Amino acid sequence: MLKSDKERLVAELTERLKNTQTLIVADYRGLTVTDIDKLRGELLEHGARFQVVKNTLTRRAAEEAGADALLALLDGPTAIAFLETDGDPVAVAKALNNAARDTKVLTIRGGILEGATIGEAEVKNLATLPPADVLRAQVVGAVSGPLMMIVGLFTAPLRDLVNVIDARIKQLEEQGETTPEPEADPEPEPEPQAAAEEAPAEEVTPEAPAAEAGTEEPETPDEADSPETDQVAGEPTQEES
């Protein structure tokens, strides 16, 4: 390979590493050209570009791009699946894991997920999850928590989302819980004024007329003719004196 070609390839790898937050590294030793082409086409459908690289050139590109986490994975024949912005890391991990199982020669070394280094075991765990869009849809029904928690899951990186789901599944297994049904809102208590209006009104007993309360006997004619200021019996009047 000419020096100019090497410089061009290093520049392309450097630019790709700067713009890629997620990638998976594999050892392709033993794969045929047909196997590589088939795997490359499958990964392209999931938003990843599968590229066979030379370690010496890739190390230079990683150092220039500041991707130091990649250096430890460059050992032996190397192929890298670079995920595009709209790529599905779960589907890419599943495709690589299936290829490793079917060919029995492809070996997954690890990779970088949302800027964080992951190992072979984490890539295989990632491959067991449903696709990213299905996973986010299931979160709504699977996670029982405050609204802000659910909102945070949709905005969090996929790696954090996977950790939250795994923790929630373990918690449910330990506690033997099922997803609780939403509790019905309690009926509001009636207001005092409304309660007073609904209560039956007490019957009011009309007051008896004053005549019924105390019946006075009619005056006799003698009593009616007697003066109001009767003199005391036995007291002489002026004529008698």
Side-chain angles (χ1 to χ4, degrees), residues 36-50 81-96 98 131-133:
I36 294 176
D37 289 342
K38 179 181 178 181
L39 182 57
R40 180 179 287 118
E42 185 177 356
L43 293 176
L44 191 60
E45 294 178 359
H46 301 309
R49 295 184 177 277
F50 192 65
F82 296 91
L83 269 80
E84 304 292 342
T85 304
D86 57 347
D88 186 346
V90 175
V92 172
K94 192 184 297 291
L96 289 171
N98 291 340
D133 55 344

PDB file of all heavy atoms in Angstrom, residues 36-50 81-96 98 131-133:
ATOM      1  N   ILE A  36     -17.845 -12.556   5.057  1.00  0.00           N
ATOM      2  CA  ILE A  36     -17.677 -11.142   5.395  1.00  0.00           C
ATOM      3  C   ILE A  36     -18.676 -10.287   4.623  1.00  0.00           C
ATOM      4  O   ILE A  36     -19.292  -9.370   5.180  1.00  0.00           O
ATOM      5  CB  ILE A  36     -16.228 -10.697   5.115  1.00  0.00           C
ATOM      6  CG1 ILE A  36     -15.258 -11.410   6.065  1.00  0.00           C
ATOM      7  CG2 ILE A  36     -16.095  -9.181   5.275  1.00  0.00           C
ATOM      8  CD1 ILE A  36     -13.795 -11.102   5.802  1.00  0.00           C
ATOM      9  N   ASP A  37     -18.849 -10.576   3.331  1.00  0.00           N
ATOM     10  CA  ASP A  37     -19.792  -9.798   2.527  1.00  0.00           C
ATOM     11  C   ASP A  37     -21.224  -9.974   3.030  1.00  0.00           C
ATOM     12  O   ASP A  37     -22.002  -9.007   3.068  1.00  0.00           O
ATOM     13  CB  ASP A  37     -19.701 -10.228   1.057  1.00  0.00           C
ATOM     14  CG  ASP A  37     -18.398  -9.779   0.403  1.00  0.00           C
ATOM     15  OD1 ASP A  37     -17.745  -8.864   0.976  1.00  0.00           O
ATOM     16  OD2 ASP A  37     -18.023 -10.343  -0.640  1.00  0.00           O
ATOM     17  N   LYS A  38     -21.586 -11.200   3.410  1.00  0.00           N
ATOM     18  CA  LYS A  38     -22.931 -11.449   3.926  1.00  0.00           C
ATOM     19  C   LYS A  38     -23.158 -10.691   5.231  1.00  0.00           C
ATOM     20  O   LYS A  38     -24.209 -10.048   5.422  1.00  0.00           O
ATOM     21  CB  LYS A  38     -23.117 -12.949   4.149  1.00  0.00           C
ATOM     22  CG  LYS A  38     -24.483 -13.313   4.713  1.00  0.00           C
ATOM     23  CD  LYS A  38     -24.584 -14.821   4.940  1.00  0.00           C
ATOM     24  CE  LYS A  38     -25.928 -15.182   5.558  1.00  0.00           C
ATOM     25  NZ  LYS A  38     -26.033 -16.655   5.810  1.00  0.00           N
ATOM     26  N   LEU A  39     -22.159 -10.746   6.126  1.00  0.00           N
ATOM     27  CA  LEU A  39     -22.280 -10.049   7.401  1.00  0.00           C
ATOM     28  C   LEU A  39     -22.296  -8.541   7.199  1.00  0.00           C
ATOM     29  O   LEU A  39     -23.061  -7.818   7.872  1.00  0.00           O
ATOM     30  CB  LEU A  39     -21.122 -10.449   8.317  1.00  0.00           C
ATOM     31  CG  LEU A  39     -21.108  -9.858   9.724  1.00  0.00           C
ATOM     32  CD1 LEU A  39     -22.383 -10.186  10.485  1.00  0.00           C
ATOM     33  CD2 LEU A  39     -19.892 -10.348  10.499  1.00  0.00           C
ATOM     34  N   ARG A  40     -21.505  -8.051   6.251  1.00  0.00           N
ATOM     35  CA  ARG A  40     -21.468  -6.607   5.979  1.00  0.00           C
ATOM     36  C   ARG A  40     -22.831  -6.118   5.494  1.00  0.00           C
ATOM     37  O   ARG A  40     -23.302  -5.051   5.917  1.00  0.00           O
ATOM     38  CB  ARG A  40     -20.381  -6.311   4.941  1.00  0.00           C
ATOM     39  CG  ARG A  40     -20.276  -4.827   4.614  1.00  0.00           C
ATOM     40  CD  ARG A  40     -19.177  -4.552   3.608  1.00  0.00           C
ATOM     41  NE  ARG A  40     -17.857  -4.689   4.191  1.00  0.00           N
ATOM     42  CZ  ARG A  40     -16.932  -5.578   3.799  1.00  0.00           C
ATOM     43  NH1 ARG A  40     -17.206  -6.433   2.812  1.00  0.00           N
ATOM     44  NH2 ARG A  40     -15.748  -5.624   4.363  1.00  0.00           N
ATOM     45  N   GLY A  41     -23.485  -6.878   4.629  1.00  0.00           N
ATOM     46  CA  GLY A  41     -24.804  -6.484   4.136  1.00  0.00           C
ATOM     47  C   GLY A  41     -25.858  -6.493   5.239  1.00  0.00           C
ATOM     48  O   GLY A  41     -26.714  -5.600   5.302  1.00  0.00           O
ATOM     49  N   GLU A  42     -25.786  -7.483   6.125  1.00  0.00           N
ATOM     50  CA  GLU A  42     -26.757  -7.560   7.219  1.00  0.00           C
ATOM     51  C   GLU A  42     -26.581  -6.404   8.199  1.00  0.00           C
ATOM     52  O   GLU A  42     -27.571  -5.804   8.648  1.00  0.00           O
ATOM     53  CB  GLU A  42     -26.613  -8.894   7.947  1.00  0.00           C
ATOM     54  CG  GLU A  42     -27.652  -9.122   9.030  1.00  0.00           C
ATOM     55  CD  GLU A  42     -27.530 -10.482   9.677  1.00  0.00           C
ATOM     56  OE1 GLU A  42     -26.672 -11.285   9.224  1.00  0.00           O
ATOM     57  OE2 GLU A  42     -28.278 -10.755  10.650  1.00  0.00           O
ATOM     58  N   LEU A  43     -25.336  -6.082   8.519  1.00  0.00           N
ATOM     59  CA  LEU A  43     -25.082  -4.979   9.447  1.00  0.00           C
ATOM     60  C   LEU A  43     -25.465  -3.638   8.846  1.00  0.00           C
ATOM     61  O   LEU A  43     -25.908  -2.728   9.561  1.00  0.00           O
ATOM     62  CB  LEU A  43     -23.597  -4.974   9.850  1.00  0.00           C
ATOM     63  CG  LEU A  43     -23.134  -6.169  10.685  1.00  0.00           C
ATOM     64  CD1 LEU A  43     -21.628  -6.089  10.930  1.00  0.00           C
ATOM     65  CD2 LEU A  43     -23.876  -6.226  12.000  1.00  0.00           C
ATOM     66  N   LEU A  44     -25.315  -3.503   7.529  1.00  0.00           N
ATOM     67  CA  LEU A  44     -25.678  -2.252   6.872  1.00  0.00           C
ATOM     68  C   LEU A  44     -27.179  -1.994   7.003  1.00  0.00           C
ATOM     69  O   LEU A  44     -27.607  -0.836   7.125  1.00  0.00           O
ATOM     70  CB  LEU A  44     -25.259  -2.302   5.404  1.00  0.00           C
ATOM     71  CG  LEU A  44     -25.332  -0.988   4.618  1.00  0.00           C
ATOM     72  CD1 LEU A  44     -24.428   0.065   5.252  1.00  0.00           C
ATOM     73  CD2 LEU A  44     -24.953  -1.209   3.166  1.00  0.00           C
ATOM     74  N   GLU A  45     -27.980  -3.052   7.009  1.00  0.00           N
ATOM     75  CA  GLU A  45     -29.424  -2.893   7.183  1.00  0.00           C
ATOM     76  C   GLU A  45     -29.764  -2.349   8.574  1.00  0.00           C
ATOM     77  O   GLU A  45     -30.804  -1.719   8.750  1.00  0.00           O
ATOM     78  CB  GLU A  45     -30.120  -4.239   6.976  1.00  0.00           C
ATOM     79  CG  GLU A  45     -30.035  -4.767   5.559  1.00  0.00           C
ATOM     80  CD  GLU A  45     -30.696  -6.125   5.408  1.00  0.00           C
ATOM     81  OE1 GLU A  45     -31.205  -6.643   6.448  1.00  0.00           O
ATOM     82  OE2 GLU A  45     -30.719  -6.658   4.293  1.00  0.00           O
ATOM     83  N   HIS A  46     -28.909  -2.598   9.549  1.00  0.00           N
ATOM     84  CA  HIS A  46     -29.150  -2.144  10.918  1.00  0.00           C
ATOM     85  C   HIS A  46     -28.421  -0.836  11.241  1.00  0.00           C
ATOM     86  O   HIS A  46     -28.373  -0.418  12.398  1.00  0.00           O
ATOM     87  CB  HIS A  46     -28.723  -3.215  11.912  1.00  0.00           C
ATOM     88  CG  HIS A  46     -29.436  -4.522  11.739  1.00  0.00           C
ATOM     89  ND1 HIS A  46     -30.810  -4.613  11.669  1.00  0.00           N
ATOM     90  CD2 HIS A  46     -28.962  -5.793  11.600  1.00  0.00           C
ATOM     91  CE1 HIS A  46     -31.161  -5.878  11.505  1.00  0.00           C
ATOM     92  NE2 HIS A  46     -30.063  -6.614  11.461  1.00  0.00           N
ATOM     93  N   GLY A  47     -27.841  -0.205  10.207  1.00  0.00           N
ATOM     94  CA  GLY A  47     -27.211   1.102  10.415  1.00  0.00           C
ATOM     95  C   GLY A  47     -25.772   1.033  10.879  1.00  0.00           C
ATOM     96  O   GLY A  47     -25.330   1.912  11.623  1.00  0.00           O
ATOM     97  N   ALA A  48     -25.027   0.002  10.449  1.00  0.00           N
ATOM     98  CA  ALA A  48     -23.613  -0.123  10.835  1.00  0.00           C
ATOM     99  C   ALA A  48     -22.779  -0.486   9.606  1.00  0.00           C
ATOM    100  O   ALA A  48     -23.219  -1.257   8.745  1.00  0.00           O
ATOM    101  CB  ALA A  48     -23.436  -1.179  11.919  1.00  0.00           C
ATOM    102  N   ARG A  49     -21.565   0.072   9.564  1.00  0.00           N
ATOM    103  CA  ARG A  49     -20.632  -0.226   8.477  1.00  0.00           C
ATOM    104  C   ARG A  49     -19.540  -1.142   9.022  1.00  0.00           C
ATOM    105  O   ARG A  49     -18.840  -0.780   9.964  1.00  0.00           O
ATOM    106  CB  ARG A  49     -20.029   1.060   7.906  1.00  0.00           C
ATOM    107  CG  ARG A  49     -21.060   1.959   7.230  1.00  0.00           C
ATOM    108  CD  ARG A  49     -20.420   3.166   6.592  1.00  0.00           C
ATOM    109  NE  ARG A  49     -21.392   3.994   5.877  1.00  0.00           N
ATOM    110  CZ  ARG A  49     -21.814   3.770   4.636  1.00  0.00           C
ATOM    111  NH1 ARG A  49     -21.328   2.743   3.947  1.00  0.00           N
ATOM    112  NH2 ARG A  49     -22.702   4.567   4.076  1.00  0.00           N
ATOM    113  N   PHE A  50     -19.418  -2.331   8.413  1.00  0.00           N
ATOM    114  CA  PHE A  50     -18.454  -3.337   8.850  1.00  0.00           C
ATOM    115  C   PHE A  50     -17.201  -3.205   8.003  1.00  0.00           C
ATOM    116  O   PHE A  50     -17.226  -3.379   6.785  1.00  0.00           O
ATOM    117  CB  PHE A  50     -19.068  -4.728   8.702  1.00  0.00           C
ATOM    118  CG  PHE A  50     -18.299  -5.817   9.384  1.00  0.00           C
ATOM    119  CD1 PHE A  50     -18.160  -5.844  10.766  1.00  0.00           C
ATOM    120  CD2 PHE A  50     -17.718  -6.837   8.636  1.00  0.00           C
ATOM    121  CE1 PHE A  50     -17.461  -6.861  11.395  1.00  0.00           C
ATOM    122  CE2 PHE A  50     -17.020  -7.859   9.254  1.00  0.00           C
ATOM    123  CZ  PHE A  50     -16.887  -7.874  10.634  1.00  0.00           C
ATOM    124  N   ALA A  81     -17.391  -2.752  13.456  1.00  0.00           N
ATOM    125  CA  ALA A  81     -18.729  -2.347  13.023  1.00  0.00           C
ATOM    126  C   ALA A  81     -18.979  -0.949  13.571  1.00  0.00           C
ATOM    127  O   ALA A  81     -19.190  -0.772  14.777  1.00  0.00           O
ATOM    128  CB  ALA A  81     -19.777  -3.326  13.529  1.00  0.00           C
ATOM    129  N   PHE A  82     -18.934   0.063  12.696  1.00  0.00           N
ATOM    130  CA  PHE A  82     -19.162   1.454  13.077  1.00  0.00           C
ATOM    131  C   PHE A  82     -20.660   1.757  12.951  1.00  0.00           C
ATOM    132  O   PHE A  82     -21.226   1.640  11.859  1.00  0.00           O
ATOM    133  CB  PHE A  82     -18.378   2.410  12.177  1.00  0.00           C
ATOM    134  CG  PHE A  82     -16.891   2.274  12.280  1.00  0.00           C
ATOM    135  CD1 PHE A  82     -16.187   1.415  11.432  1.00  0.00           C
ATOM    136  CD2 PHE A  82     -16.169   3.004  13.218  1.00  0.00           C
ATOM    137  CE1 PHE A  82     -14.806   1.304  11.514  1.00  0.00           C
ATOM    138  CE2 PHE A  82     -14.794   2.904  13.307  1.00  0.00           C
ATOM    139  CZ  PHE A  82     -14.108   2.040  12.451  1.00  0.00           C
ATOM    140  N   LEU A  83     -21.301   2.150  14.040  1.00  0.00           N
ATOM    141  CA  LEU A  83     -22.730   2.463  13.996  1.00  0.00           C
ATOM    142  C   LEU A  83     -22.949   3.904  13.567  1.00  0.00           C
ATOM    143  O   LEU A  83     -22.284   4.824  14.061  1.00  0.00           O
ATOM    144  CB  LEU A  83     -23.388   2.236  15.353  1.00  0.00           C
ATOM    145  CG  LEU A  83     -23.975   0.831  15.571  1.00  0.00           C
ATOM    146  CD1 LEU A  83     -22.864  -0.141  15.945  1.00  0.00           C
ATOM    147  CD2 LEU A  83     -25.055   0.838  16.621  1.00  0.00           C
ATOM    148  N   GLU A  84     -23.894   4.076  12.641  1.00  0.00           N
ATOM    149  CA  GLU A  84     -24.309   5.414  12.242  1.00  0.00           C
ATOM    150  C   GLU A  84     -25.176   6.031  13.336  1.00  0.00           C
ATOM    151  O   GLU A  84     -25.539   5.373  14.320  1.00  0.00           O
ATOM    152  CB  GLU A  84     -25.089   5.348  10.922  1.00  0.00           C
ATOM    153  CG  GLU A  84     -24.331   4.679   9.778  1.00  0.00           C
ATOM    154  CD  GLU A  84     -23.137   5.497   9.304  1.00  0.00           C
ATOM    155  OE1 GLU A  84     -23.095   6.718   9.615  1.00  0.00           O
ATOM    156  OE2 GLU A  84     -22.265   4.938   8.623  1.00  0.00           O
ATOM    157  N   THR A  85     -25.521   7.307  13.164  1.00  0.00           N
ATOM    158  CA  THR A  85     -26.316   8.007  14.171  1.00  0.00           C
ATOM    159  C   THR A  85     -27.658   7.330  14.423  1.00  0.00           C
ATOM    160  O   THR A  85     -28.125   7.236  15.552  1.00  0.00           O
ATOM    161  CB  THR A  85     -26.550   9.465  13.742  1.00  0.00           C
ATOM    162  OG1 THR A  85     -25.286  10.090  13.499  1.00  0.00           O
ATOM    163  CG2 THR A  85     -27.292  10.237  14.823  1.00  0.00           C
ATOM    164  N   ASP A  86     -28.301   6.830  13.355  1.00  0.00           N
ATOM    165  CA  ASP A  86     -29.595   6.179  13.485  1.00  0.00           C
ATOM    166  C   ASP A  86     -29.485   4.661  13.546  1.00  0.00           C
ATOM    167  O   ASP A  86     -30.475   3.949  13.367  1.00  0.00           O
ATOM    168  CB  ASP A  86     -30.510   6.576  12.324  1.00  0.00           C
ATOM    169  CG  ASP A  86     -29.890   6.233  10.969  1.00  0.00           C
ATOM    170  OD1 ASP A  86     -28.684   5.921  10.923  1.00  0.00           O
ATOM    171  OD2 ASP A  86     -30.615   6.282   9.944  1.00  0.00           O
ATOM    172  N   GLY A  87     -28.293   4.132  13.808  1.00  0.00           N
ATOM    173  CA  GLY A  87     -28.096   2.690  13.871  1.00  0.00           C
ATOM    174  C   GLY A  87     -28.691   2.085  15.132  1.00  0.00           C
ATOM    175  O   GLY A  87     -28.888   2.767  16.141  1.00  0.00           O
ATOM    176  N   ASP A  88     -28.983   0.784  15.067  1.00  0.00           N
ATOM    177  CA  ASP A  88     -29.565   0.061  16.193  1.00  0.00           C
ATOM    178  C   ASP A  88     -28.486  -0.825  16.812  1.00  0.00           C
ATOM    179  O   ASP A  88     -28.150  -1.885  16.272  1.00  0.00           O
ATOM    180  CB  ASP A  88     -30.741  -0.794  15.716  1.00  0.00           C
ATOM    181  CG  ASP A  88     -31.490  -1.453  16.863  1.00  0.00           C
ATOM    182  OD1 ASP A  88     -30.966  -1.469  17.993  1.00  0.00           O
ATOM    183  OD2 ASP A  88     -32.613  -1.956  16.634  1.00  0.00           O
ATOM    184  N   PRO A  89     -27.915  -0.428  17.955  1.00  0.00           N
ATOM    185  CA  PRO A  89     -26.828  -1.213  18.558  1.00  0.00           C
ATOM    186  C   PRO A  89     -27.274  -2.601  18.992  1.00  0.00           C
ATOM    187  O   PRO A  89     -26.467  -3.538  18.976  1.00  0.00           O
ATOM    188  CB  PRO A  89     -26.400  -0.368  19.760  1.00  0.00           C
ATOM    189  CG  PRO A  89     -27.555   0.514  20.054  1.00  0.00           C
ATOM    190  CD  PRO A  89     -28.224   0.774  18.750  1.00  0.00           C
ATOM    191  N   VAL A  90     -28.541  -2.739  19.388  1.00  0.00           N
ATOM    192  CA  VAL A  90     -29.029  -4.059  19.797  1.00  0.00           C
ATOM    193  C   VAL A  90     -29.058  -5.003  18.604  1.00  0.00           C
ATOM    194  O   VAL A  90     -28.606  -6.156  18.688  1.00  0.00           O
ATOM    195  CB  VAL A  90     -30.430  -3.941  20.428  1.00  0.00           C
ATOM    196  CG1 VAL A  90     -30.994  -5.311  20.749  1.00  0.00           C
ATOM    197  CG2 VAL A  90     -30.373  -3.085  21.686  1.00  0.00           C
ATOM    198  N   ALA A  91     -29.581  -4.543  17.470  1.00  0.00           N
ATOM    199  CA  ALA A  91     -29.647  -5.382  16.272  1.00  0.00           C
ATOM    200  C   ALA A  91     -28.255  -5.702  15.745  1.00  0.00           C
ATOM    201  O   ALA A  91     -28.004  -6.825  15.271  1.00  0.00           O
ATOM    202  CB  ALA A  91     -30.478  -4.670  15.190  1.00  0.00           C
ATOM    203  N   VAL A  92     -27.331  -4.757  15.829  1.00  0.00           N
ATOM    204  CA  VAL A  92     -25.956  -4.999  15.379  1.00  0.00           C
ATOM    205  C   VAL A  92     -25.281  -6.041  16.265  1.00  0.00           C
ATOM    206  O   VAL A  92     -24.620  -6.966  15.777  1.00  0.00           O
ATOM    207  CB  VAL A  92     -25.159  -3.680  15.373  1.00  0.00           C
ATOM    208  CG1 VAL A  92     -23.688  -3.942  15.104  1.00  0.00           C
ATOM    209  CG2 VAL A  92     -25.727  -2.726  14.321  1.00  0.00           C
ATOM    210  N   ALA A  93     -25.442  -5.912  17.566  1.00  0.00           N
ATOM    211  CA  ALA A  93     -24.862  -6.897  18.481  1.00  0.00           C
ATOM    212  C   ALA A  93     -25.456  -8.276  18.249  1.00  0.00           C
ATOM    213  O   ALA A  93     -24.754  -9.297  18.312  1.00  0.00           O
ATOM    214  CB  ALA A  93     -25.094  -6.451  19.927  1.00  0.00           C
ATOM    215  N   LYS A  94     -26.755  -8.324  17.974  1.00  0.00           N
ATOM    216  CA  LYS A  94     -27.420  -9.613  17.714  1.00  0.00           C
ATOM    217  C   LYS A  94     -26.873 -10.252  16.440  1.00  0.00           C
ATOM    218  O   LYS A  94     -26.637 -11.477  16.395  1.00  0.00           O
ATOM    219  CB  LYS A  94     -28.924  -9.385  17.603  1.00  0.00           C
ATOM    220  CG  LYS A  94     -29.754 -10.673  17.627  1.00  0.00           C
ATOM    221  CD  LYS A  94     -31.227 -10.356  17.406  1.00  0.00           C
ATOM    222  CE  LYS A  94     -31.762  -9.476  18.531  1.00  0.00           C
ATOM    223  NZ  LYS A  94     -31.826 -10.218  19.806  1.00  0.00           N
ATOM    224  N   ALA A  95     -26.672  -9.454  15.387  1.00  0.00           N
ATOM    225  CA  ALA A  95     -26.165  -9.986  14.122  1.00  0.00           C
ATOM    226  C   ALA A  95     -24.748 -10.532  14.284  1.00  0.00           C
ATOM    227  O   ALA A  95     -24.423 -11.616  13.770  1.00  0.00           O
ATOM    228  CB  ALA A  95     -26.202  -8.901  13.046  1.00  0.00           C
ATOM    229  N   LEU A  96     -23.915  -9.800  15.010  1.00  0.00           N
ATOM    230  CA  LEU A  96     -22.545 -10.270  15.235  1.00  0.00           C
ATOM    231  C   LEU A  96     -22.531 -11.523  16.113  1.00  0.00           C
ATOM    232  O   LEU A  96     -21.744 -12.453  15.882  1.00  0.00           O
ATOM    233  CB  LEU A  96     -21.710  -9.165  15.873  1.00  0.00           C
ATOM    234  CG  LEU A  96     -21.358  -7.990  14.966  1.00  0.00           C
ATOM    235  CD1 LEU A  96     -20.710  -6.860  15.777  1.00  0.00           C
ATOM    236  CD2 LEU A  96     -20.424  -8.430  13.846  1.00  0.00           C
ATOM    237  N   ASN A  98     -24.904 -13.778  16.345  1.00  0.00           N
ATOM    238  CA  ASN A  98     -25.381 -14.889  15.532  1.00  0.00           C
ATOM    239  C   ASN A  98     -24.291 -15.380  14.576  1.00  0.00           C
ATOM    240  O   ASN A  98     -24.149 -16.600  14.352  1.00  0.00           O
ATOM    241  CB  ASN A  98     -26.622 -14.476  14.738  1.00  0.00           C
ATOM    242  CG  ASN A  98     -27.826 -14.246  15.630  1.00  0.00           C
ATOM    243  OD1 ASN A  98     -27.882 -14.714  16.766  1.00  0.00           O
ATOM    244  ND2 ASN A  98     -28.808 -13.511  15.122  1.00  0.00           N
ATOM    245  N   PRO A 131     -35.113  -5.066  20.011  1.00  0.00           N
ATOM    246  CA  PRO A 131     -34.620  -3.852  19.348  1.00  0.00           C
ATOM    247  C   PRO A 131     -34.892  -2.605  20.174  1.00  0.00           C
ATOM    248  O   PRO A 131     -35.795  -2.570  21.009  1.00  0.00           O
ATOM    249  CB  PRO A 131     -35.400  -3.829  18.022  1.00  0.00           C
ATOM    250  CG  PRO A 131     -35.729  -5.269  17.772  1.00  0.00           C
ATOM    251  CD  PRO A 131     -35.956  -5.886  19.114  1.00  0.00           C
ATOM    252  N   ALA A 132     -34.095  -1.567  19.939  1.00  0.00           N
ATOM    253  CA  ALA A 132     -34.139  -0.363  20.771  1.00  0.00           C
ATOM    254  C   ALA A 132     -35.527   0.277  20.786  1.00  0.00           C
ATOM    255  O   ALA A 132     -36.010   0.705  21.835  1.00  0.00           O
ATOM    256  CB  ALA A 132     -33.098   0.648  20.275  1.00  0.00           C
ATOM    257  N   ASP A 133     -36.203   0.357  19.623  1.00  0.00           N
ATOM    258  CA  ASP A 133     -37.519   0.996  19.601  1.00  0.00           C
ATOM    259  C   ASP A 133     -38.552   0.167  20.357  1.00  0.00           C
ATOM    260  O   ASP A 133     -39.413   0.711  21.055  1.00  0.00           O
ATOM    261  CB  ASP A 133     -37.971   1.240  18.158  1.00  0.00           C
ATOM    262  CG  ASP A 133     -37.948  -0.042  17.333  1.00  0.00           C
ATOM    263  OD1 ASP A 133     -37.309  -1.020  17.771  1.00  0.00           O
ATOM    264  OD2 ASP A 133     -38.563  -0.064  16.246  1.00  0.00           O
TER     265      ASP A 133
END
